Amino acid sequence: MINRQRIVEEFTRLASIASPSFREGAISRYLVNRLGEMGGEVIMDAAGKQIGSESGNLIVSFPAAGKEGPPLMLSVHMDMVEPADGVEPVLNDDVFTSAGSTVLGADDKAGIAEIIEALEVVRERAIARGPVEVVITVCEEVGLLGAKHLDFSKIRSRRGLALDTSGVDLAIHRAPCANKLRFEIIGREAHAGIAPERGISAIEAAARAIERMKLGRIDEETTANLGTIRGGQAVNIVAKQVILEGEARSHDPAKLEDQTEHMIACFTAAARSMEKVIDGRTVAPEVRWEVISDYPMMHVPLDSPIVRLVSASARAIGHEVEIRAAGGGSDANIFNAHGIETLILGTGMTNVHTVDESVSVNDMVRVTELLVEVLRRA
Ligand SMILES: [Zn+2]
């Protein structure tokens, strides 16, 4: 039923267009034409102007064909990580890789090719389906910027699938919420050999803070990390400044809040513990921090209509879909926060965000078979 040659050609065209985040102009123009030719009504929202990308998000509506019902959203992102320039897809033994020095961009173009092929099959076989909204975001790879600025007033769907994870026969129904954290410790510089008592070491304050901090896997739902640290000027200067960046994630928003507060408290307590008297004045290092909500939690209940739709579709064609939790955030977190119950579906891509990224044609065909059945039953 799936046209292997057509999906190979579609993926090749998509993957041949370099589309790093913010530079999605060329792929966006291709998609506007391609989906328009297929009968989609294409809207580009204003996100591009707001975030400084060459393109906005695309919202492409395909009216019902032979069957009325609520619309189904299928979402993907059009941007890719670097290195992207000069990307050249190569097909060997049924597996796509890049020619070598770039990523392939199967993340997320495998998903785009699968959606296009599924819609082609449904059309040529005259399979009755309800309305479909294809949402193609920009700048997913740089903090879900497209989805965060998506014009949700243009989307009617209340359920959807985001094709954007590795694996096949796999759907993600839970993902954590996360905070990005930045801490700056400002001590006092002094000559380390002549007058160390006149200095307050920001490095020592950072060490004391980290020593008392819970990091790594906090519990089965929560993780935390300090990922970068930089500071100090020279070996003979008491370090004045240290900057640390980290994150916390949890499947429970209250635990995320607790962990974030805990990390802040460790820094402020460490700063107090460094208090000393210099020139008759009591001084302590100053701590500044910034907490940015990176993405909200998603949790689609296992008995929700979209889970039942995917499970029943898979069973009908002899696939068994595993539905499980994941540890990262994606556009689907944003869709769920806006009331569109969205599962993340595996597209077959592997080794994403590396130059060894690949996707097999068999896996793309398998995912497309599932999509066709989902469209038939939606
Ligand atoms: Zn992706």
Side-chain angles (χ1 to χ4, degrees):
M1 178 167 66
I2 309 301
N3 186 330
R4 287 180 78 88
Q5 191 52 35
R6 186 168 56 198
I7 199 167
V8 163
E9 288 168 8
E10 184 64 54
F11 182 80
T12 302
R13 282 193 298 272
L14 289 164
S16 301
I17 304 170
S19 60
S21 307
F22 299 106
R23 291 196 281 129
E24 296 104 335
I27 190 127
S28 176
R29 285 189 292 278
Y30 172 78
L31 290 166
V32 167
N33 279 331
R34 182 75 178 95
L35 294 162
E37 265 170 28
M38 291 170 63
E41 183 200 315
V42 184
I43 297 172
M44 185 187 294
D45 74 6
K49 284 194 191 69
Q50 292 160 1
I51 64 180
S53 164
E54 290 174 357
S55 172
N57 302 300
L58 300 179
I59 301 159
V60 189
S61 303
F62 290 87
K67 190 168 152 189
E68 287 309 320
L72 175 72
M73 180 189 74
L74 296 176
S75 97
V76 275
H77 61 88
M78 67 175 94
D79 63 317
M80 66 197 283
V81 297
E82 305 265 12
D85 287 311
V87 58
E88 187 191 330
V90 175
L91 183 60
N92 257 324
D93 291 336
D94 229 33
V95 175
F96 277 106
T97 59
S98 76
S101 57
T102 69
V103 298
L104 173 61
D107 178 7
D108 197 16
K109 286 159 184 169
I112 303 178
E114 287 155 5
I115 290 172
I116 289 175
E117 176 61 18
L119 289 168
E120 291 279 24
V121 169
V122 165
R123 178 171 62 168
E124 74 194 359
R125 305 238 156 192
I127 295 170
R129 59 151 179 81
V132 176
E133 293 176 313
V134 178
V135 175
I136 312 178
T137 61
V138 294
C139 290
E140 192 271 350
E141 300 286 7
V142 285
L144 320 178
L145 286 182
K148 286 175 180 171
H149 291 83
L150 181 61
D151 184 351
F152 280 91
S153 73
K154 301 279 195 294
I155 300 174
R156 291 188 300 130
S157 302
R158 285 288 147 250
R159 59 196 174 139
L161 296 175
L163 281 82
D164 191 16
T165 191
S166 297
V168 283
D169 298 338
L170 176 69
I172 305 296
H173 76 117
R174 289 188 77 172
C177 42
N179 284 338
K180 276 189 186 154
L181 307 165
R182 182 181 188 277
F183 300 97
E184 182 177 2
I185 303 172
I186 301 150
R188 255 175 95 114
E189 60 197 335
H191 193 294
I194 298 169
E197 44 286 295
R198 297 184 61 80
I200 299 177
S201 168
I203 289 176
E204 193 181 336
R208 289 190 191 183
I210 295 165
E211 203 273 323
R212 62 183 83 199
M213 197 177 295
K214 290 179 285 179
L215 290 169
R217 189 167 295 285
I218 309 302
D219 61 35
E220 68 287 353
E221 299 190 298
T222 311
T223 59
N225 184 49
L226 289 173
T228 71
I229 178 166
R230 52 184 199 278
Q233 285 167 278
V235 291
N236 59 355
I237 303 174
V238 175
K240 181 179 177 186
Q241 187 203 43
V242 171
I243 293 171
L244 301 101
E245 291 166 316
E247 60 157 43
R249 307 181 184 201
S250 183
H251 289 279
D252 178 341
K255 288 181 176 175
L256 177 66
E257 176 93 34
D258 286 351
Q259 176 63 24
T260 302
E261 291 299 325
H262 163 71
M263 292 168 80
I264 294 168
C266 288
F267 279 104
T268 52
R272 273 196 308 278
S273 78
M274 297 282 293
E275 207 172 83
K276 68 202 274 196
V277 176
I278 301 175
D279 292 339
R281 272 180 53 226
T282 303
V283 287
E286 184 190 344
V287 180
R288 297 177 188 160
W289 65 87
E290 200 181 348
V291 178
I292 297 168
S293 170
D294 204 6
Y295 42 84
M297 188 185 70
M298 71 171 256
H299 184 188
V300 179
L302 288 173
D303 61 355
S304 70
I306 187 69
V307 173
R308 290 207 301 271
L309 172 63
V310 168
S311 300
S313 301
R315 269 197 305 278
I317 57 170
H319 301 192
E320 194 58 54
V321 170
E322 182 196 354
I323 295 169
R324 61 170 166 83
S330 70
D331 281 356
N333 292 58
I334 310 296
F335 295 132
N336 279 291
H338 279 83
I340 306 172
E341 219 165 36
T342 306
L343 287 181
I344 308 166
L345 201 63
T347 67
M349 61 193 183
T350 64
N351 295 324
V352 299
H353 297 197
T354 76
V355 295
D356 297 321
E357 187 182 9
S358 69
V359 65
S360 85
V361 178
N362 278 340
D363 284 347
M364 285 199 288
V365 167
R366 191 171 173 90
V367 175
T368 307
E369 285 167 353
L370 176 60
L371 277 185
V372 169
E373 191 59 26
V374 165
L375 289 171
R376 186 203 306 273
R377 288 167 174 263

